[in-house]
Each structure stands twice: as C-alpha cells, then as structure tokens.
Amino acid sequence: MSVFSWETTHYPTLAAYKVALLPFKKPAWIKGLTIHHSAIPTRAQWHGRSTMEATKNYYIRKGWSAGPHLFLAELTPDKLNNGIWAGTPLATTGIHAGTCNSSHIGIEVVGAYDREPWPHEVAELVYTTCVTLMRWAKLTPAQVQGHRECLNNKTCPGRAVDMNVVRNELRRRLAV
C-alpha cells in the first residue's frame, strides 16, 4: 500500500494561511485550481479537525494516495472550525477531479450547493483564498475550473454555482 499524503492543518484566517503559503515555492505541477463542494459533509455536519480526519480515512478506504488540498469552511459565529483546512500538501498532486488531478489544486468548499448558492461569508472565503493562490501561483481566471468542468458527470461545485460568474468575480478582484 502506498503512503497516504495528508497533513491536517488549520488556518483560522486567510492571513494565517498567507504566512504559510507565501514563502513556499510553487511546484511546477500547479497549472490551475479546481473548485468543489463537499456535499457531505454539509455545513451543519462540519466539525473541523475530526471531520478532516474522517475525510482522510474515507479517502484511504477508497485506496487513494491523497485527496483535495484545501477545505474552506465558513460556518459558525464562534469561528472555532472556520477557515482554511489543508489536507494534501501543495507539494503533492492531489486526487479530487479526474483529469485535473495532475495539474490543479483541489479546493473543497464545505457544504452542498446544488440548490442554493454560496452564502456571502462562504463566497468571500472562496474568492479571497482563490485570489491569494492565483497571485502566488501566477494563475489567471481561465485556469480556474469547477469539478464538473474536469468530469462532466458531476454537478460539483454545485448547480447553484455558475463558474463563469466565479471567474468574472476573480477577474474583478485580481484587477484591484
């Protein structure tokens, strides 16, 4: 059995994530971002570290050698389990979206978004995290895809998430 590549790390704020990310040299394999929704766990089922460990064990049972890179959780007023949760290290290609695995950072947005769009606080965390990663890795909005754009048998990152709107918002924020 291969070694599973995973290091559960919690960054409660974008500023904390930037401190860890910015000195890290971008690996050559990174050519884009793929946005997902977790579907399960839902926002109500998310419990931070324990959910990350359960997710890790789920991927191991599937026989995977890694999983997505980041999980974005903006859920509770107490902020205890909110923020950016890292799973697969950025030095390693992840397993999350078929053809995009070998070239894209996998970003799981905690929640199910087939029926409702990202709430404002979730959208804000997604956009600010993506812009940070895009500036760091020198990526353009055209290099950001939804899971369904990598595997067309999926609805991920949710039917209520329009990836053209996402790319336009990223374009707008990068211009500032």
PDB file of all heavy atoms in Angstrom, residues 95-132:
ATOM      1  N   ILE A  95      -5.816  14.054  -5.337  1.00  0.00           N
ATOM      2  CA  ILE A  95      -6.827  13.259  -6.030  1.00  0.00           C
ATOM      3  C   ILE A  95      -8.156  13.910  -5.690  1.00  0.00           C
ATOM      4  O   ILE A  95      -8.544  13.976  -4.519  1.00  0.00           O
ATOM      5  CB  ILE A  95      -6.780  11.778  -5.599  1.00  0.00           C
ATOM      6  CG1 ILE A  95      -5.432  11.176  -5.993  1.00  0.00           C
ATOM      7  CG2 ILE A  95      -7.942  11.010  -6.228  1.00  0.00           C
ATOM      8  CD1 ILE A  95      -5.246   9.730  -5.577  1.00  0.00           C
ATOM      9  N   HIS A  96      -8.828  14.431  -6.738  1.00  0.00           N
ATOM     10  CA  HIS A  96     -10.073  15.153  -6.498  1.00  0.00           C
ATOM     11  C   HIS A  96     -10.909  15.375  -7.744  1.00  0.00           C
ATOM     12  O   HIS A  96     -12.085  15.655  -7.631  1.00  0.00           O
ATOM     13  CB  HIS A  96      -9.782  16.514  -5.837  1.00  0.00           C
ATOM     14  CG  HIS A  96      -8.823  17.355  -6.620  1.00  0.00           C
ATOM     15  ND1 HIS A  96      -9.225  18.222  -7.602  1.00  0.00           N
ATOM     16  CD2 HIS A  96      -7.478  17.433  -6.578  1.00  0.00           C
ATOM     17  CE1 HIS A  96      -8.165  18.812  -8.123  1.00  0.00           C
ATOM     18  NE2 HIS A  96      -7.088  18.346  -7.523  1.00  0.00           N
ATOM     19  N   ALA A  97     -10.342  15.282  -8.953  1.00  0.00           N
ATOM     20  CA  ALA A  97     -11.128  15.645 -10.136  1.00  0.00           C
ATOM     21  C   ALA A  97     -10.609  15.014 -11.423  1.00  0.00           C
ATOM     22  O   ALA A  97     -10.401  15.700 -12.413  1.00  0.00           O
ATOM     23  CB  ALA A  97     -11.170  17.156 -10.287  1.00  0.00           C
ATOM     24  N   GLY A  98     -10.402  13.732 -11.425  1.00  0.00           N
ATOM     25  CA  GLY A  98     -10.040  13.032 -12.662  1.00  0.00           C
ATOM     26  C   GLY A  98      -8.901  13.674 -13.417  1.00  0.00           C
ATOM     27  O   GLY A  98      -7.788  13.772 -12.917  1.00  0.00           O
ATOM     28  N   THR A  99      -9.190  14.182 -14.611  1.00  0.00           N
ATOM     29  CA  THR A  99      -8.148  14.716 -15.478  1.00  0.00           C
ATOM     30  C   THR A  99      -7.442  15.932 -14.902  1.00  0.00           C
ATOM     31  O   THR A  99      -6.340  16.259 -15.328  1.00  0.00           O
ATOM     32  CB  THR A  99      -8.736  15.100 -16.860  1.00  0.00           C
ATOM     33  OG1 THR A  99      -9.741  16.094 -16.665  1.00  0.00           O
ATOM     34  CG2 THR A  99      -9.314  13.894 -17.569  1.00  0.00           C
ATOM     35  N   CYS A 100      -8.035  16.605 -13.948  1.00  0.00           N
ATOM     36  CA  CYS A 100      -7.423  17.799 -13.356  1.00  0.00           C
ATOM     37  C   CYS A 100      -6.492  17.470 -12.183  1.00  0.00           C
ATOM     38  O   CYS A 100      -5.798  18.354 -11.685  1.00  0.00           O
ATOM     39  CB  CYS A 100      -8.497  18.780 -12.902  1.00  0.00           C
ATOM     40  SG  CYS A 100      -9.428  19.493 -14.276  1.00  0.00           S
ATOM     41  N   ASN A 101      -6.463  16.218 -11.733  1.00  0.00           N
ATOM     42  CA  ASN A 101      -5.638  15.857 -10.577  1.00  0.00           C
ATOM     43  C   ASN A 101      -4.174  16.226 -10.754  1.00  0.00           C
ATOM     44  O   ASN A 101      -3.532  16.720  -9.835  1.00  0.00           O
ATOM     45  CB  ASN A 101      -5.713  14.348 -10.288  1.00  0.00           C
ATOM     46  CG  ASN A 101      -7.033  13.940  -9.697  1.00  0.00           C
ATOM     47  OD1 ASN A 101      -7.788  14.756  -9.192  1.00  0.00           O
ATOM     48  ND2 ASN A 101      -7.321  12.650  -9.766  1.00  0.00           N
ATOM     49  N   SER A 102      -3.637  15.976 -11.929  1.00  0.00           N
ATOM     50  CA  SER A 102      -2.195  16.134 -12.127  1.00  0.00           C
ATOM     51  C   SER A 102      -1.752  17.582 -12.276  1.00  0.00           C
ATOM     52  O   SER A 102      -0.560  17.858 -12.259  1.00  0.00           O
ATOM     53  CB  SER A 102      -1.746  15.343 -13.363  1.00  0.00           C
ATOM     54  OG  SER A 102      -2.354  15.884 -14.523  1.00  0.00           O
ATOM     55  N   SER A 103      -2.699  18.520 -12.384  1.00  0.00           N
ATOM     56  CA  SER A 103      -2.295  19.894 -12.639  1.00  0.00           C
ATOM     57  C   SER A 103      -3.047  20.968 -11.843  1.00  0.00           C
ATOM     58  O   SER A 103      -2.739  22.145 -11.982  1.00  0.00           O
ATOM     59  CB  SER A 103      -2.452  20.199 -14.137  1.00  0.00           C
ATOM     60  OG  SER A 103      -3.805  20.059 -14.530  1.00  0.00           O
ATOM     61  N   HIS A 104      -4.006  20.576 -11.032  1.00  0.00           N
ATOM     62  CA  HIS A 104      -4.823  21.564 -10.327  1.00  0.00           C
ATOM     63  C   HIS A 104      -4.830  21.346  -8.814  1.00  0.00           C
ATOM     64  O   HIS A 104      -4.914  20.210  -8.348  1.00  0.00           O
ATOM     65  CB  HIS A 104      -6.276  21.502 -10.809  1.00  0.00           C
ATOM     66  CG  HIS A 104      -6.481  22.128 -12.146  1.00  0.00           C
ATOM     67  ND1 HIS A 104      -7.683  22.655 -12.516  1.00  0.00           N
ATOM     68  CD2 HIS A 104      -5.660  22.313 -13.202  1.00  0.00           C
ATOM     69  CE1 HIS A 104      -7.599  23.139 -13.740  1.00  0.00           C
ATOM     70  NE2 HIS A 104      -6.371  22.931 -14.181  1.00  0.00           N
ATOM     71  N   ILE A 105      -4.789  22.446  -8.098  1.00  0.00           N
ATOM     72  CA  ILE A 105      -5.008  22.420  -6.660  1.00  0.00           C
ATOM     73  C   ILE A 105      -6.494  22.139  -6.442  1.00  0.00           C
ATOM     74  O   ILE A 105      -7.344  22.805  -7.046  1.00  0.00           O
ATOM     75  CB  ILE A 105      -4.634  23.771  -6.018  1.00  0.00           C
ATOM     76  CG1 ILE A 105      -3.138  24.048  -6.184  1.00  0.00           C
ATOM     77  CG2 ILE A 105      -5.047  23.801  -4.549  1.00  0.00           C
ATOM     78  CD1 ILE A 105      -2.735  25.465  -5.793  1.00  0.00           C
ATOM     79  N   GLY A 106      -6.821  21.163  -5.609  1.00  0.00           N
ATOM     80  CA  GLY A 106      -8.209  20.826  -5.311  1.00  0.00           C
ATOM     81  C   GLY A 106      -8.708  21.608  -4.115  1.00  0.00           C
ATOM     82  O   GLY A 106      -8.125  21.521  -3.034  1.00  0.00           O
ATOM     83  N   ILE A 107      -9.775  22.375  -4.304  1.00  0.00           N
ATOM     84  CA  ILE A 107     -10.350  23.209  -3.247  1.00  0.00           C
ATOM     85  C   ILE A 107     -11.786  22.758  -2.993  1.00  0.00           C
ATOM     86  O   ILE A 107     -12.651  22.910  -3.851  1.00  0.00           O
ATOM     87  CB  ILE A 107     -10.342  24.691  -3.647  1.00  0.00           C
ATOM     88  CG1 ILE A 107      -8.908  25.155  -3.924  1.00  0.00           C
ATOM     89  CG2 ILE A 107     -11.013  25.547  -2.571  1.00  0.00           C
ATOM     90  CD1 ILE A 107      -8.821  26.534  -4.530  1.00  0.00           C
ATOM     91  N   GLU A 108     -12.033  22.201  -1.822  1.00  0.00           N
ATOM     92  CA  GLU A 108     -13.374  21.776  -1.404  1.00  0.00           C
ATOM     93  C   GLU A 108     -14.033  22.906  -0.615  1.00  0.00           C
ATOM     94  O   GLU A 108     -13.490  23.375   0.377  1.00  0.00           O
ATOM     95  CB  GLU A 108     -13.305  20.543  -0.494  1.00  0.00           C
ATOM     96  CG  GLU A 108     -12.880  19.282  -1.175  1.00  0.00           C
ATOM     97  CD  GLU A 108     -14.011  18.567  -1.882  1.00  0.00           C
ATOM     98  OE1 GLU A 108     -15.188  18.953  -1.710  1.00  0.00           O
ATOM     99  OE2 GLU A 108     -13.710  17.613  -2.604  1.00  0.00           O
ATOM    100  N   VAL A 109     -15.179  23.349  -1.072  1.00  0.00           N
ATOM    101  CA  VAL A 109     -15.967  24.326  -0.330  1.00  0.00           C
ATOM    102  C   VAL A 109     -16.963  23.515   0.494  1.00  0.00           C
ATOM    103  O   VAL A 109     -17.782  22.779  -0.054  1.00  0.00           O
ATOM    104  CB  VAL A 109     -16.697  25.292  -1.282  1.00  0.00           C
ATOM    105  CG1 VAL A 109     -17.501  26.319  -0.483  1.00  0.00           C
ATOM    106  CG2 VAL A 109     -15.695  25.982  -2.215  1.00  0.00           C
ATOM    107  N   VAL A 110     -16.856  23.621   1.810  1.00  0.00           N
ATOM    108  CA  VAL A 110     -17.705  22.810   2.684  1.00  0.00           C
ATOM    109  C   VAL A 110     -19.166  23.214   2.511  1.00  0.00           C
ATOM    110  O   VAL A 110     -19.525  24.389   2.629  1.00  0.00           O
ATOM    111  CB  VAL A 110     -17.270  22.943   4.155  1.00  0.00           C
ATOM    112  CG1 VAL A 110     -18.237  22.209   5.077  1.00  0.00           C
ATOM    113  CG2 VAL A 110     -15.843  22.405   4.340  1.00  0.00           C
ATOM    114  N   GLY A 111     -19.995  22.229   2.186  1.00  0.00           N
ATOM    115  CA  GLY A 111     -21.417  22.440   2.015  1.00  0.00           C
ATOM    116  C   GLY A 111     -21.922  21.819   0.729  1.00  0.00           C
ATOM    117  O   GLY A 111     -21.151  21.300  -0.079  1.00  0.00           O
ATOM    118  N   ALA A 112     -23.235  21.872   0.563  1.00  0.00           N
ATOM    119  CA  ALA A 112     -23.904  21.347  -0.627  1.00  0.00           C
ATOM    120  C   ALA A 112     -24.540  22.524  -1.360  1.00  0.00           C
ATOM    121  O   ALA A 112     -25.368  23.232  -0.785  1.00  0.00           O
ATOM    122  CB  ALA A 112     -24.961  20.328  -0.230  1.00  0.00           C
ATOM    123  N   TYR A 113     -24.155  22.717  -2.618  1.00  0.00           N
ATOM    124  CA  TYR A 113     -24.584  23.911  -3.342  1.00  0.00           C
ATOM    125  C   TYR A 113     -25.303  23.587  -4.654  1.00  0.00           C
ATOM    126  O   TYR A 113     -25.235  24.350  -5.610  1.00  0.00           O
ATOM    127  CB  TYR A 113     -23.390  24.849  -3.552  1.00  0.00           C
ATOM    128  CG  TYR A 113     -22.811  25.235  -2.219  1.00  0.00           C
ATOM    129  CD1 TYR A 113     -21.632  24.670  -1.749  1.00  0.00           C
ATOM    130  CD2 TYR A 113     -23.500  26.105  -1.383  1.00  0.00           C
ATOM    131  CE1 TYR A 113     -21.133  24.974  -0.499  1.00  0.00           C
ATOM    132  CE2 TYR A 113     -23.021  26.418  -0.120  1.00  0.00           C
ATOM    133  CZ  TYR A 113     -21.830  25.854   0.314  1.00  0.00           C
ATOM    134  OH  TYR A 113     -21.355  26.148   1.571  1.00  0.00           O
ATOM    135  N   ASP A 114     -26.032  22.475  -4.682  1.00  0.00           N
ATOM    136  CA  ASP A 114     -26.859  22.178  -5.848  1.00  0.00           C
ATOM    137  C   ASP A 114     -28.139  22.999  -5.827  1.00  0.00           C
ATOM    138  O   ASP A 114     -28.676  23.345  -6.875  1.00  0.00           O
ATOM    139  CB  ASP A 114     -27.208  20.683  -5.911  1.00  0.00           C
ATOM    140  CG  ASP A 114     -26.115  19.870  -6.572  1.00  0.00           C
ATOM    141  OD1 ASP A 114     -25.375  20.422  -7.411  1.00  0.00           O
ATOM    142  OD2 ASP A 114     -26.008  18.676  -6.263  1.00  0.00           O
ATOM    143  N   ARG A 115     -28.655  23.317  -4.645  1.00  0.00           N
ATOM    144  CA  ARG A 115     -29.947  24.018  -4.537  1.00  0.00           C
ATOM    145  C   ARG A 115     -29.815  25.481  -4.128  1.00  0.00           C
ATOM    146  O   ARG A 115     -30.722  26.262  -4.372  1.00  0.00           O
ATOM    147  CB  ARG A 115     -30.847  23.296  -3.533  1.00  0.00           C
ATOM    148  CG  ARG A 115     -31.237  21.932  -4.034  1.00  0.00           C
ATOM    149  CD  ARG A 115     -32.341  21.336  -3.211  1.00  0.00           C
ATOM    150  NE  ARG A 115     -32.728  20.066  -3.779  1.00  0.00           N
ATOM    151  CZ  ARG A 115     -32.868  18.964  -3.095  1.00  0.00           C
ATOM    152  NH1 ARG A 115     -32.683  18.955  -1.794  1.00  0.00           N
ATOM    153  NH2 ARG A 115     -33.207  17.840  -3.708  1.00  0.00           N
ATOM    154  N   GLU A 116     -28.730  25.814  -3.479  1.00  0.00           N
ATOM    155  CA  GLU A 116     -28.537  27.204  -3.053  1.00  0.00           C
ATOM    156  C   GLU A 116     -27.100  27.624  -3.317  1.00  0.00           C
ATOM    157  O   GLU A 116     -26.187  26.808  -3.222  1.00  0.00           O
ATOM    158  CB  GLU A 116     -28.868  27.374  -1.567  1.00  0.00           C
ATOM    159  CG  GLU A 116     -27.954  26.579  -0.661  1.00  0.00           C
ATOM    160  CD  GLU A 116     -28.262  26.761   0.824  1.00  0.00           C
ATOM    161  OE1 GLU A 116     -29.287  27.364   1.161  1.00  0.00           O
ATOM    162  OE2 GLU A 116     -27.458  26.295   1.631  1.00  0.00           O
ATOM    163  N   PRO A 117     -26.905  28.892  -3.671  1.00  0.00           N
ATOM    164  CA  PRO A 117     -25.537  29.369  -3.913  1.00  0.00           C
ATOM    165  C   PRO A 117     -24.772  29.529  -2.602  1.00  0.00           C
ATOM    166  O   PRO A 117     -25.354  29.439  -1.522  1.00  0.00           O
ATOM    167  CB  PRO A 117     -25.753  30.720  -4.603  1.00  0.00           C
ATOM    168  CG  PRO A 117     -27.091  31.177  -4.126  1.00  0.00           C
ATOM    169  CD  PRO A 117     -27.906  29.931  -3.893  1.00  0.00           C
ATOM    170  N   TRP A 118     -23.494  29.782  -2.727  1.00  0.00           N
ATOM    171  CA  TRP A 118     -22.685  30.034  -1.547  1.00  0.00           C
ATOM    172  C   TRP A 118     -23.260  31.214  -0.778  1.00  0.00           C
ATOM    173  O   TRP A 118     -23.524  32.267  -1.362  1.00  0.00           O
ATOM    174  CB  TRP A 118     -21.253  30.406  -1.933  1.00  0.00           C
ATOM    175  CG  TRP A 118     -20.469  29.373  -2.655  1.00  0.00           C
ATOM    176  CD1 TRP A 118     -20.507  28.021  -2.494  1.00  0.00           C
ATOM    177  CD2 TRP A 118     -19.466  29.617  -3.648  1.00  0.00           C
ATOM    178  NE1 TRP A 118     -19.601  27.406  -3.328  1.00  0.00           N
ATOM    179  CE2 TRP A 118     -18.947  28.372  -4.046  1.00  0.00           C
ATOM    180  CE3 TRP A 118     -18.960  30.761  -4.243  1.00  0.00           C
ATOM    181  CZ2 TRP A 118     -17.939  28.232  -4.999  1.00  0.00           C
ATOM    182  CZ3 TRP A 118     -17.962  30.633  -5.194  1.00  0.00           C
ATOM    183  CH2 TRP A 118     -17.466  29.387  -5.565  1.00  0.00           C
ATOM    184  N   PRO A 119     -23.445  31.078   0.535  1.00  0.00           N
ATOM    185  CA  PRO A 119     -23.794  32.250   1.340  1.00  0.00           C
ATOM    186  C   PRO A 119     -22.650  33.266   1.237  1.00  0.00           C
ATOM    187  O   PRO A 119     -21.515  32.915   0.927  1.00  0.00           O
ATOM    188  CB  PRO A 119     -23.907  31.697   2.763  1.00  0.00           C
ATOM    189  CG  PRO A 119     -24.124  30.229   2.588  1.00  0.00           C
ATOM    190  CD  PRO A 119     -23.395  29.852   1.335  1.00  0.00           C
ATOM    191  N   HIS A 120     -22.949  34.519   1.521  1.00  0.00           N
ATOM    192  CA  HIS A 120     -21.966  35.595   1.363  1.00  0.00           C
ATOM    193  C   HIS A 120     -20.629  35.282   2.036  1.00  0.00           C
ATOM    194  O   HIS A 120     -19.567  35.454   1.434  1.00  0.00           O
ATOM    195  CB  HIS A 120     -22.533  36.919   1.893  1.00  0.00           C
ATOM    196  CG  HIS A 120     -21.511  38.009   1.900  1.00  0.00           C
ATOM    197  ND1 HIS A 120     -21.102  38.647   0.751  1.00  0.00           N
ATOM    198  CD2 HIS A 120     -20.786  38.533   2.914  1.00  0.00           C
ATOM    199  CE1 HIS A 120     -20.170  39.533   1.059  1.00  0.00           C
ATOM    200  NE2 HIS A 120     -19.968  39.490   2.356  1.00  0.00           N
ATOM    201  N   GLU A 121     -20.681  34.825   3.289  1.00  0.00           N
ATOM    202  CA  GLU A 121     -19.432  34.580   4.028  1.00  0.00           C
ATOM    203  C   GLU A 121     -18.627  33.433   3.404  1.00  0.00           C
ATOM    204  O   GLU A 121     -17.397  33.441   3.421  1.00  0.00           O
ATOM    205  CB  GLU A 121     -19.692  34.330   5.521  1.00  0.00           C
ATOM    206  CG  GLU A 121     -20.527  33.098   5.840  1.00  0.00           C
ATOM    207  CD  GLU A 121     -22.032  33.278   5.728  1.00  0.00           C
ATOM    208  OE1 GLU A 121     -22.515  34.344   5.304  1.00  0.00           O
ATOM    209  OE2 GLU A 121     -22.749  32.310   6.067  1.00  0.00           O
ATOM    210  N   VAL A 122     -19.295  32.454   2.833  1.00  0.00           N
ATOM    211  CA  VAL A 122     -18.612  31.354   2.145  1.00  0.00           C
ATOM    212  C   VAL A 122     -17.989  31.872   0.856  1.00  0.00           C
ATOM    213  O   VAL A 122     -16.812  31.618   0.566  1.00  0.00           O
ATOM    214  CB  VAL A 122     -19.584  30.182   1.864  1.00  0.00           C
ATOM    215  CG1 VAL A 122     -18.941  29.132   0.973  1.00  0.00           C
ATOM    216  CG2 VAL A 122     -20.072  29.566   3.170  1.00  0.00           C
ATOM    217  N   ALA A 123     -18.769  32.613   0.072  1.00  0.00           N
ATOM    218  CA  ALA A 123     -18.255  33.175  -1.183  1.00  0.00           C
ATOM    219  C   ALA A 123     -17.031  34.040  -0.927  1.00  0.00           C
ATOM    220  O   ALA A 123     -16.032  33.955  -1.657  1.00  0.00           O
ATOM    221  CB  ALA A 123     -19.346  33.984  -1.882  1.00  0.00           C
ATOM    222  N   GLU A 124     -17.074  34.833   0.120  1.00  0.00           N
ATOM    223  CA  GLU A 124     -15.941  35.706   0.442  1.00  0.00           C
ATOM    224  C   GLU A 124     -14.684  34.886   0.736  1.00  0.00           C
ATOM    225  O   GLU A 124     -13.587  35.216   0.262  1.00  0.00           O
ATOM    226  CB  GLU A 124     -16.305  36.613   1.624  1.00  0.00           C
ATOM    227  CG  GLU A 124     -15.369  37.748   1.833  1.00  0.00           C
ATOM    228  CD  GLU A 124     -15.251  38.705   0.648  1.00  0.00           C
ATOM    229  OE1 GLU A 124     -16.202  38.858  -0.149  1.00  0.00           O
ATOM    230  OE2 GLU A 124     -14.174  39.307   0.521  1.00  0.00           O
ATOM    231  N   LEU A 125     -14.817  33.807   1.496  1.00  0.00           N
ATOM    232  CA  LEU A 125     -13.661  32.949   1.789  1.00  0.00           C
ATOM    233  C   LEU A 125     -13.153  32.277   0.508  1.00  0.00           C
ATOM    234  O   LEU A 125     -11.951  32.201   0.280  1.00  0.00           O
ATOM    235  CB  LEU A 125     -14.019  31.897   2.837  1.00  0.00           C
ATOM    236  CG  LEU A 125     -12.879  30.952   3.251  1.00  0.00           C
ATOM    237  CD1 LEU A 125     -11.697  31.719   3.844  1.00  0.00           C
ATOM    238  CD2 LEU A 125     -13.393  29.911   4.234  1.00  0.00           C
ATOM    239  N   VAL A 126     -14.056  31.813  -0.342  1.00  0.00           N
ATOM    240  CA  VAL A 126     -13.651  31.187  -1.609  1.00  0.00           C
ATOM    241  C   VAL A 126     -12.886  32.185  -2.463  1.00  0.00           C
ATOM    242  O   VAL A 126     -11.782  31.898  -2.942  1.00  0.00           O
ATOM    243  CB  VAL A 126     -14.869  30.634  -2.376  1.00  0.00           C
ATOM    244  CG1 VAL A 126     -14.452  30.147  -3.764  1.00  0.00           C
ATOM    245  CG2 VAL A 126     -15.536  29.502  -1.596  1.00  0.00           C
ATOM    246  N   TYR A 127     -13.446  33.365  -2.671  1.00  0.00           N
ATOM    247  CA  TYR A 127     -12.806  34.344  -3.551  1.00  0.00           C
ATOM    248  C   TYR A 127     -11.463  34.822  -3.001  1.00  0.00           C
ATOM    249  O   TYR A 127     -10.493  34.909  -3.751  1.00  0.00           O
ATOM    250  CB  TYR A 127     -13.736  35.533  -3.807  1.00  0.00           C
ATOM    251  CG  TYR A 127     -14.925  35.176  -4.662  1.00  0.00           C
ATOM    252  CD1 TYR A 127     -16.210  35.542  -4.289  1.00  0.00           C
ATOM    253  CD2 TYR A 127     -14.774  34.471  -5.848  1.00  0.00           C
ATOM    254  CE1 TYR A 127     -17.313  35.216  -5.073  1.00  0.00           C
ATOM    255  CE2 TYR A 127     -15.870  34.134  -6.642  1.00  0.00           C
ATOM    256  CZ  TYR A 127     -17.129  34.511  -6.245  1.00  0.00           C
ATOM    257  OH  TYR A 127     -18.211  34.180  -7.021  1.00  0.00           O
ATOM    258  N   THR A 128     -11.406  35.128  -1.721  1.00  0.00           N
ATOM    259  CA  THR A 128     -10.135  35.632  -1.183  1.00  0.00           C
ATOM    260  C   THR A 128      -9.059  34.547  -1.179  1.00  0.00           C
ATOM    261  O   THR A 128      -7.894  34.832  -1.454  1.00  0.00           O
ATOM    262  CB  THR A 128     -10.317  36.224   0.232  1.00  0.00           C
ATOM    263  OG1 THR A 128     -10.883  35.233   1.100  1.00  0.00           O
ATOM    264  CG2 THR A 128     -11.202  37.468   0.200  1.00  0.00           C
ATOM    265  N   THR A 129      -9.442  33.315  -0.909  1.00  0.00           N
ATOM    266  CA  THR A 129      -8.467  32.219  -0.946  1.00  0.00           C
ATOM    267  C   THR A 129      -7.994  31.970  -2.376  1.00  0.00           C
ATOM    268  O   THR A 129      -6.790  31.821  -2.625  1.00  0.00           O
ATOM    269  CB  THR A 129      -9.069  30.933  -0.345  1.00  0.00           C
ATOM    270  OG1 THR A 129      -9.477  31.196   1.000  1.00  0.00           O
ATOM    271  CG2 THR A 129      -8.058  29.791  -0.349  1.00  0.00           C
ATOM    272  N   CYS A 130      -8.928  31.934  -3.318  1.00  0.00           N
ATOM    273  CA  CYS A 130      -8.546  31.710  -4.722  1.00  0.00           C
ATOM    274  C   CYS A 130      -7.652  32.827  -5.238  1.00  0.00           C
ATOM    275  O   CYS A 130      -6.637  32.564  -5.903  1.00  0.00           O
ATOM    276  CB  CYS A 130      -9.784  31.568  -5.601  1.00  0.00           C
ATOM    277  SG  CYS A 130     -10.627  29.980  -5.405  1.00  0.00           S
ATOM    278  N   VAL A 131      -7.977  34.080  -4.937  1.00  0.00           N
ATOM    279  CA  VAL A 131      -7.139  35.195  -5.384  1.00  0.00           C
ATOM    280  C   VAL A 131      -5.739  35.077  -4.793  1.00  0.00           C
ATOM    281  O   VAL A 131      -4.736  35.286  -5.488  1.00  0.00           O
ATOM    282  CB  VAL A 131      -7.804  36.549  -5.049  1.00  0.00           C
ATOM    283  CG1 VAL A 131      -6.811  37.705  -5.167  1.00  0.00           C
ATOM    284  CG2 VAL A 131      -8.997  36.786  -5.962  1.00  0.00           C
ATOM    285  N   THR A 132      -5.647  34.721  -3.527  1.00  0.00           N
ATOM    286  CA  THR A 132      -4.334  34.530  -2.895  1.00  0.00           C
ATOM    287  C   THR A 132      -3.537  33.450  -3.624  1.00  0.00           C
ATOM    288  O   THR A 132      -2.362  33.646  -3.947  1.00  0.00           O
ATOM    289  CB  THR A 132      -4.508  34.176  -1.401  1.00  0.00           C
ATOM    290  OG1 THR A 132      -5.130  35.278  -0.740  1.00  0.00           O
ATOM    291  CG2 THR A 132      -3.172  33.851  -0.742  1.00  0.00           C
TER     292      THR A 132
END
